[in-house]
Amino acid sequence: MTIFIVLMTIFSGISFVLILKKYDFPKLEKVVRKISFYSLIGILICVILLVFDFRLKGKYASSIIGLTFLLSTILLFGLTKKNLTKILSGILTIPIFVFGILSLFSEIGFVFFYLITLPFQAPMAKSEINENHNVEVRVGGFFACGESLVITKSKFGILDKQQYVGNNSCVTGINKIETIEFKENSVEFLIYHDGETEFENPYKYQPEIKNVW
């Protein structure tokens, strides 16, 4: 999140300077417009995949696509002289400006950035179960007592299919997961964490699951 906010600040500053100085870079604008457009298509594909519990296999693939769209759109807002492009890019850029300023005085700005980046955040940790399955550590939901464990299955070579989500381990600061047992209706993990909670380290976790494999 820190890197994200820093990049947003830098590109917002560049865009603001471009607006004030009224620089004209038509070739650069054309390139940035294409980057913004194609990354938007990438985001739409990622969203559709998420609806069906799929993600791109690369750990940072969705994050890179989302960040590329945000940064290119912010930059396009400062570069373009076309009214329609300015309006369309401003739909995203202006709220980022506003909430960026609000984040200096209130937590509501951070909440805004958290919500728009949550679907594209890379897993906090990822461990291999076997050649077809992995377990990921992701930010817990609003009602989760700790971080979420997500078991995924490789599909079509480039996608991971979400098979199971566990939000009840209540362990935080997870940095590694070791699989002890992985059967049709039985899974057992050793969870290594930062030791800042009352749980033993490593913590043995056996989620209650149905046959989802």
Side-chain angles (χ1 to χ4, degrees):
M1 178 62 75
T2 302
I3 295 176
F4 169 80
I5 293 177
V6 169
L7 289 173
M8 290 294 104
T9 302
I10 292 173
F11 275 74
S12 295
I14 294 174
S15 183
F16 188 64
V17 170
L18 289 171
I19 293 173
L20 292 180
K21 296 296 183 178
K22 298 182 180 181
Y23 290 120
D24 189 15
F25 300 107
K27 291 184 178 180
L28 179 59
E29 178 188 340
K30 185 177 180 180
V31 172
V32 173
R33 187 188 300 115
K34 287 184 178 180
I35 293 173
S36 179
F37 176 73
Y38 288 119
S39 57
L40 173 60
I41 292 176
I43 284 181
L44 294 177
I45 292 173
C46 289
V47 170
I48 293 173
L49 290 173
L50 283 173
V51 171
F52 296 97
D53 291 329
F54 283 100
R55 289 180 183 268
L56 294 174
K57 184 173 285 292
K59 182 177 179 180
Y60 299 102
S62 297
S63 301
I64 292 173
I65 293 172
L67 189 59
T68 299
F69 172 68
L70 290 174
L71 296 181
S72 60
T73 301
I74 291 172
L75 189 58
L76 181 62
F77 182 73
L79 280 170
T80 187
K81 301 298 184 292
K82 299 178 180 179
N83 290 333
L84 180 59
T85 305
K86 181 76 75 175
I87 292 172
L88 293 176
S89 59
I91 292 174
L92 177 65
T93 304
I94 292 175
I96 288 177
F97 281 162
V98 172
F99 283 98
I101 294 173
L102 284 176
S103 65
L104 298 175
F105 309 99
S106 171
E107 291 185 357
I108 190 172
F110 291 102
V111 172
F112 170 78
F113 290 123
Y114 172 80
L115 292 176
I116 65 173
T117 59
L118 183 60
F120 304 99
Q121 285 186 3
M124 302 162 66
K126 185 173 183 178
S127 301
E128 182 180 288
I129 297 175
N130 56 35
E131 60 181 10
N132 293 318
H133 296 85
N134 293 288
V135 57
E136 300 177 349
V137 181
R138 292 191 172 273
V139 177
F142 288 106
F143 301 105
C145 58
E147 293 158 356
S148 294
L149 299 186
V150 181
I151 297 176
T152 64
K153 183 177 182 179
S154 179
K155 292 282 188 178
F156 313 117
I158 60 172
L159 301 176
D160 282 329
K161 168 71 172 177
Q162 180 176 290
Q163 301 290 105
Y164 168 82
V165 179
N167 290 312
N168 57 348
S169 70
C170 294
V171 181
T172 59
I174 300 173
N175 49 60
K176 178 184 176 183
I177 298 178
E178 182 180 327
T179 305
I180 299 176
E181 181 180 68
F182 186 72
K183 296 182 180 179
E184 185 175 359
N185 291 298
S186 177
V187 178
E188 185 173 352
F189 297 119
L190 278 180
I191 299 177
Y192 295 82
H193 53 94
D194 57 16
E196 295 186 1
T197 55
E198 71 276 12
F199 298 98
E200 60 182 345
N201 197 5
Y203 171 66
K204 186 177 291 187
Y205 178 55
Q206 294 177 283
E208 295 182 5
I209 62 173
K210 297 180 180 179
N211 184 10
V212 296
W213 320 131

